[in-house]
Amino acid sequence: MWKGLIEEYKQYLPVTENTPALTLNEGNTPLVHLVNLSKELGIELYGKIEGANPTGSFKDRGMVFAVAKAIEDGAQCVICASTGNTSAAAAAYATRAGIQSIVVIPKGKVALGKLAQATMYGAKIIEIDGNFDDALNIVRRISETTPVALVNSVNPYRIEGQKTASFEIVDSLGKAPDFLCIPVGNAGNISAYWKGFKDYNEAKQSGLPKMFGFEAEGAAAIVKGEPIANPETVATAIRIGNPASWKLAEAARDESGGIIDSVTDEEILAAYKLIAGKEGVFVEPGSAASLAGVIKSVKAGLIPQGSQVVTVFTGNGLKDPDTAMGVSTVDLVSLKNDEEEIRKYIEGVL
Ligand code: F0G
């Protein structure tokens, strides 16, 4: 039985005898060969389905370890700023460990499912008239003077936990892929994956991918080379104007010979529909930024034909039902509660 990240990967993590055995059996997510899109794009494309984690996003990998280490250090309460997924994961793991969580979120900009999760897991939820960057600045300062443990990805244990996704990819493929494509928001995850590939390569000579990160165009601070005061994108998960791990993300790009590029909301929504409609994989809009980036990069010749590519689907589509229904073109067919009428309709469709 899969025992969760801390137990499975303790030799690669700063685990001590005092680290609690916290887990919701996170990790071990599917790497799905995207056969239809592979054919269309002329590459060997895989999706790492991080929405299959216990709270439906990759944040569980970092959060299980950040919360465990916070408890090891005696914390009674964790705090984070969030566009939604971090708050869901923080609340779940804090509750599981029997401590309090406080989350600070941008009012009106968190997808419905994520808010429902934080509520159900019992977080204290503070919403502000401000964006994620404002919220992160506030919780960083408060955690310096108040006995609350900060569990945003500026906490190095978050990066340690999240790097385990790279181990799983290498174990599934037998080596690192040629390209690793990933959405970029606060830039913690791209930094974590790169660290994971490097750590595993050192231990197992498993090779290194080129790291391709994708920001949403309205929130593309790294691409533009300056912070964005009022970031905007349909992909609320990555609506971030001043990524905390900016330098680490640039290092991942430069050391690997990769790129950080941007994709438009139009490209994100097209990829969002494509991955559900062509492969049966439902991801949230922020996650679709990576597939949008794959498509853009293949078209531009930056990802050559025949390449082995892994695209990270960071969060589950169920988290954001409003966006799904908003882009849906399928009309519901309303019929009488009558077998004959339904039969006639079906025969008309076939
Ligand atoms: N994809 C999803 C679904 C996310 O929720 C996030 C970040 C990212 C990608 C980007 O990852 O920040 O490490 O570059 N969500 C954070 C949150 C900010 O609060 O849930 P990153």
Side-chain angles (χ1 to χ4, degrees):
M1 188 182 143
W2 179 260
K3 299 195 185 84
L5 293 182
I6 295 179
E7 181 59 27
E8 297 284 345
Y9 292 119
K10 60 184 171 212
Q11 76 180 105
Y12 297 102
L13 297 171
V15 174
T16 74
E17 57 191 20
N18 297 321
T19 310
L22 182 63
T23 190
L24 286 166
N25 297 66
E26 60 292 317
N28 196 22
T29 57
L31 185 72
V32 175
H33 186 195
L34 303 171
V35 284
N36 299 316
L37 290 178
S38 288
K39 213 176 281 170
E40 241 169 66
L41 294 168
I43 57 177
E44 187 187 333
L45 182 63
Y46 297 85
K48 181 70 170 160
I49 316 290
E50 288 293 278
N53 276 300
T55 78
S57 88
F58 72 96
K59 303 288 181 179
D60 294 342
R61 293 182 186 275
M63 203 55 76
V64 66
F65 201 49
V67 171
K69 294 301 273 189
I71 288 168
E72 186 174 339
D73 292 342
Q76 291 296 320
C77 180
V78 293
I79 193 167
C80 66
S82 183
T83 58
N85 282 323
T86 299
S87 66
Y93 283 93
T95 287
R96 175 80 167 181
I99 64 169
Q100 180 67 54
S101 60
I102 301 172
V103 306
V104 184
I105 58 173
K107 195 174 188 168
K109 295 293 182 182
V110 171
L112 186 62
K114 303 175 188 179
L115 208 49
Q117 288 182 290
T119 313
M120 289 300 288
Y121 297 136
K124 294 238 180 298
I125 305 170
I126 301 168
E127 51 176 20
I128 60 166
D129 277 320
N131 58 34
F132 170 85
D133 306 284
D134 301 323
L136 182 58
N137 285 335
I138 291 168
V139 298
R140 282 179 95 153
R141 281 199 298 271
I142 288 174
S143 68
E144 282 165 14
T145 53
T146 316
V148 289
L150 182 66
V151 291
N152 278 106
S153 57
V154 290
N155 177 329
Y157 298 126
R158 280 278 311 279
I159 304 290
E160 288 297 311
Q162 283 169 214
K163 77 181 181 184
T164 58
S166 299
F167 301 167
E168 292 175 16
I169 290 170
V170 169
D171 285 340
S172 296
L173 297 175
K175 61 166 184 58
D178 300 323
F179 295 86
L180 189 286
C181 299
I182 189 164
V184 174
N186 209 26
N189 211 26
I190 187 171
S191 312
Y193 269 76
W194 182 235
K195 180 153 202 298
F197 284 119
K198 286 197 297 188
D199 284 2
Y200 232 38
N201 187 45
E202 222 163 80
K204 305 192 172 205
Q205 291 76 51
S206 47
L208 296 168
K210 289 187 165 46
M211 300 294 291
F212 275 34
F214 299 98
E215 297 183 294
E217 193 181 63
I222 299 174
V223 174
K224 298 201 165 118
E226 58 184 17
I228 292 166
N230 296 303
E232 269 313 335
T233 167
V234 66
T236 52
I238 53 173
R239 185 175 167 272
I240 294 171
N242 191 11
S245 297
W246 187 319
K247 288 279 163 289
L248 285 176
E250 286 185 335
R253 174 195 66 193
D254 298 341
E255 288 169 31
S256 75
I259 62 167
I260 294 178
D261 196 1
S262 63
V263 285
T264 65
D265 276 5
E266 236 176 14
E267 290 168 323
I268 289 172
L269 290 178
Y272 175 63
K273 290 193 261 186
L274 192 68
I275 184 65
K278 287 260 164 161
E279 300 282 8
V281 175
F282 185 26
V283 307
E284 64 169 286
S287 303
S290 63
L291 178 61
V294 170
I295 294 168
K296 184 178 178 187
S297 304
V298 168
K299 277 188 191 153
L302 295 172
I303 295 180
Q305 294 289 291
S307 301
Q308 189 181 57
V309 182
V310 171
T311 181
V312 183
F313 292 130
T314 46
N316 194 305
L318 292 170
K319 284 176 173 273
D320 190 355
D322 294 325
T323 303
M325 293 314 283
V327 303
S328 268
T329 48
V330 178
D331 290 324
L332 304 189
V333 180
S334 188
L335 297 177
K336 261 205 235 109
N337 178 7
D338 176 76
E339 184 177 326
E340 261 328 292
E341 189 172 327
I342 296 171
R343 186 190 307 279
K344 264 196 211 125
Y345 171 77
I346 291 170
E347 283 170 359
V349 171
L350 295 176

